[in-house]
């Protein structure tokens, strides 16, 4: 069966390995623990897991355990009976009930209190739970998938996470490698996001100059795929030309590569440039004629600046007064 990747992009060997395990474990009901740094795509991976399971037609219910106040998390997960606490004015279903038949995703499970961890363990092992303030035992036909960017073994050693729950969750570990270890996936994702954002904004797709590509590839992306995605969105809004050059890259990428930001384009164009053979050809001049003309222009400019005072003009040109007069005579410009 073709794997539904739910929009996961990447061809690196380390991601392929994760997807190989995903394809095997998805159709089973096993508990999966997804680990990885922030922004590596843990939620996307869990969605792909659900999409490839036999529960795909049933709800997928994510719960961010770190974002819900501790005292509310239990009732959020298991629901409550009317009157269970002061604000419980009516009976309410919890997320386990809403996920019935499907998958519940316990994100940031490392943030959960020890007392609630016991109840999750029971829901996992006995498939049973009670609403807060309720005495009726409810049955849960729910697959539990958890994720964390903490090192749960360290949390267990520190007494902040139950060892039995850790082993029960960690039946099938899926570890998402940080983006910096995925090599060319960085560029694949960069092009993918850039294409998507440019289409959304109905502008032609931006491409990278070779130098900019090199710097994007070499940057360690501490915020992983999320950081890369946000940066591509920014480019799709702020980059004026159709090619992303190094001047469009943020300071942190240039600093990492030890590259000084180039001067703005307008300044660079107005700056000094030595004449080239092409300039001689364009003016149809030989070397002597070109040099004489150049010299004449500078003499005239200097005289103009000095209001015709030869001493001053010579000083501006860095030559002796007598040399200046000689040059002017040759050109019949000496005046009196
Ligand atoms: N391989 C990928 N292909 C395409 N998009 C990706 C990929 N990995 C991650 N993303 C996108 O990057 C963003 C972050 O991914 P996600 O929310 O899944 O990361 P996370 O590991 O759950 O992060 P956090 O730890 O901060 O919760 C999302 O917008 C997601 O769609
Ligand atoms: Mg997440």
């Amino acid at each position: 069966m073709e794997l539904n990747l739910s929009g996961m992009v990447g061809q690196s060997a380390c991601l392929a390995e994760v997807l190989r395990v995903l394809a095997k474990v998805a159709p089973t009901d096993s508990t999966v623990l997804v680990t990885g740094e922030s922004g590596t795509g843990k939620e996307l991976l869990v969605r792909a897991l659900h999409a490839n399971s036999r529960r795909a037609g049933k709800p997928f219910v994510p719960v961010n355990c770190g974002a819900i106040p501790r005292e509310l998390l239990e009732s959020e997960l298991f629901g409550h009976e009317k009157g269970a606490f002061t604000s419980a004015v009516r009976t309410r279903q919890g997320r386990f009930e809403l996920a019935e038949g499907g998958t519940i995703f316990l994100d940031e499970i490392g943030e959960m209190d020890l007392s609630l961890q016991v109840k999750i363990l029971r829901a996992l092992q006995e498939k049973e739970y009670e609403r807060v303030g309720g005495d009726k035992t409810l049955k849960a036909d729910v697959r539990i998938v958890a994720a964390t960017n903490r090192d749960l073994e360290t949390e267990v050693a520190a007494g902040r996470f139950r060892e039995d729950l850790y082993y029960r969750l960690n039946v099938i570990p899926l570890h998402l490698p940080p983006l910096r270890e995925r090599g060319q996936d960085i560029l694949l994702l960069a092009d993918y996001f850039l294409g998507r954002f440019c289409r959304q904004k109905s502008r032609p797709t931006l491409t990278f100059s070779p130098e900019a590509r090199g710097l994007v590839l070499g940057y360690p992306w501490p915020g992983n795929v999320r950081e890369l995605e946000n940066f591509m969105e920014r480019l799709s809004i702020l980059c004026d030309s159709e090619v992303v050059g190094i001047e469009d890259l943020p300071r942190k990428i240039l600093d990492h590569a030890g590259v000084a930001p180039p001067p703005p384009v307008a300044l660079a164009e107005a700056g000094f440039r030595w004449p080239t053979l092409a300039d001689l050809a364009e003016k149809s001049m030989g070397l002597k004629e070109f040099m004489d003309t150049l010299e004449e222009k500078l003499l005239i400019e200097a005289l103009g600046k000095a209001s015709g005072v030869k001493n001053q003009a010579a000083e501006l040109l860095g030559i002796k007064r007598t040399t200046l007069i000689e040059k002017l005579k040759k050109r019949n410009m000496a005046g009196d």
Side-chain angles (χ1 to χ4, degrees):
M1 200 187 76
E2 185 76 15
L3 196 63
N4 174 349
L5 291 178
S6 305
M8 280 209 103
V9 172
Q11 291 173 356
S12 56
C14 50
L15 187 69
E17 175 58 21
V18 173
L19 295 177
R20 193 183 64 81
V21 178
L22 177 97
K24 282 192 167 180
V25 71
T28 74
D29 249 353
S30 290
T31 305
V32 175
L33 179 64
V34 182
T35 56
E37 289 177 13
S38 177
T40 47
K42 295 185 294 295
E43 175 149 0
L44 199 58
L45 188 76
V46 177
R47 285 182 187 276
L49 183 83
H50 175 72
N52 291 285
S53 74
R54 54 181 184 76
R55 298 175 176 269
K58 294 286 171 60
F60 174 80
V61 179
V63 186
N64 187 335
C65 304
I68 298 170
R70 284 163 195 273
E71 63 279 10
L72 293 183
L73 187 55
E74 180 177 354
S75 100
E76 195 61 41
L77 288 171
F78 297 127
H80 59 243
E81 297 292 344
K82 179 178 173 179
F85 40 90
T86 18
S87 61
V89 287
R90 61 178 73 87
T91 298
R92 185 162 173 253
Q93 289 188 319
R95 307 270 182 111
F96 268 85
E97 250 177 293
L98 297 173
E100 186 61 21
T103 304
I104 190 163
F105 172 36
L106 302 178
D107 200 1
E108 294 186 34
I109 195 159
E111 310 301 311
M112 194 181 275
D113 275 345
L114 285 163
S115 58
L116 190 51
Q117 288 174 24
V118 186
K119 298 181 180 174
I120 295 293
L121 185 64
R122 178 159 164 253
L124 257 166
Q125 284 178 334
E126 322 295 337
K127 311 258 175 238
E128 291 179 351
Y129 64 94
E130 282 98 32
R131 290 189 186 132
V132 176
D135 43 24
K136 198 168 86 203
T137 297
L138 301 178
K139 276 285 178 193
D141 171 22
V142 174
R143 180 186 203 173
I144 298 178
V145 179
T148 178
N149 51 26
R150 290 197 186 203
D151 179 12
L152 283 191
E153 289 195 13
T154 308
E155 298 299 296
V156 169
R160 288 189 293 263
F161 204 84
R162 290 185 63 104
E163 192 173 21
D164 47 8
L165 178 60
Y166 171 60
Y167 288 122
R168 189 63 195 74
L169 286 172
N170 203 28
V171 180
I172 310 281
L174 281 180
H175 178 70
L176 274 171
L179 185 57
R180 62 186 168 277
E181 289 172 15
R182 298 190 210 173
Q184 297 289 323
D185 274 6
I186 296 174
L187 297 177
L188 203 67
L189 281 161
D191 289 337
Y192 163 78
F193 288 130
L194 209 48
R196 203 180 71 193
F197 287 121
C198 288
R199 264 198 309 284
Q200 273 175 18
K201 298 181 173 64
S202 306
R203 63 176 289 181
T205 296
L206 287 160
T207 53
F208 288 96
S209 75
E211 301 77 31
R213 257 183 120 66
L215 296 191
V216 167
L217 181 62
Y219 185 65
W221 298 105
N224 294 293
V225 186
R226 177 176 294 113
E227 185 185 14
L228 183 76
E229 181 177 11
N230 291 342
F231 171 49
M232 295 307 135
E233 175 165 20
R234 207 173 88 188
L235 276 182
S236 74
I237 298 166
L238 297 181
C239 187
D240 292 323
S241 78
E242 300 213 340
V243 177
V244 180
I246 60 175
E247 67 277 5
D248 299 306
L249 302 180
R251 190 78 227 196
K252 59 187 177 183
I253 295 186
L254 299 179
D255 284 349
H256 176 80
V259 177
V265 179
L267 267 182
E269 274 168 8
F272 178 75
R273 178 178 72 81
W274 291 102
T276 62
L277 284 178
D279 298 304
L280 271 68
E282 199 204 335
K283 302 244 174 268
S284 309
M285 287 180 182
L287 178 63
K288 175 126 195 3
E289 196 187 352
F290 192 89
M291 297 304 276
D292 284 346
T293 313
L294 182 64
E295 191 173 278
E296 194 172 306
K297 278 178 154 301
L298 294 171
L299 294 174
I300 294 168
E301 192 188 345
L303 283 169
K305 273 230 166 88
S307 308
V309 182
K310 295 192 181 83
N311 262 338
Q312 268 182 37
E315 205 172 302
L316 286 172
L317 290 161
I319 56 178
K320 284 195 282 205
R321 180 173 187 275
T322 46
T323 313
L324 173 64
I325 291 172
E326 207 178 301
K327 288 180 182 300
L328 294 175
K329 273 192 181 149
K330 261 207 281 186
R331 293 176 165 84
N332 293 321
M333 289 165 60
D336 50 59

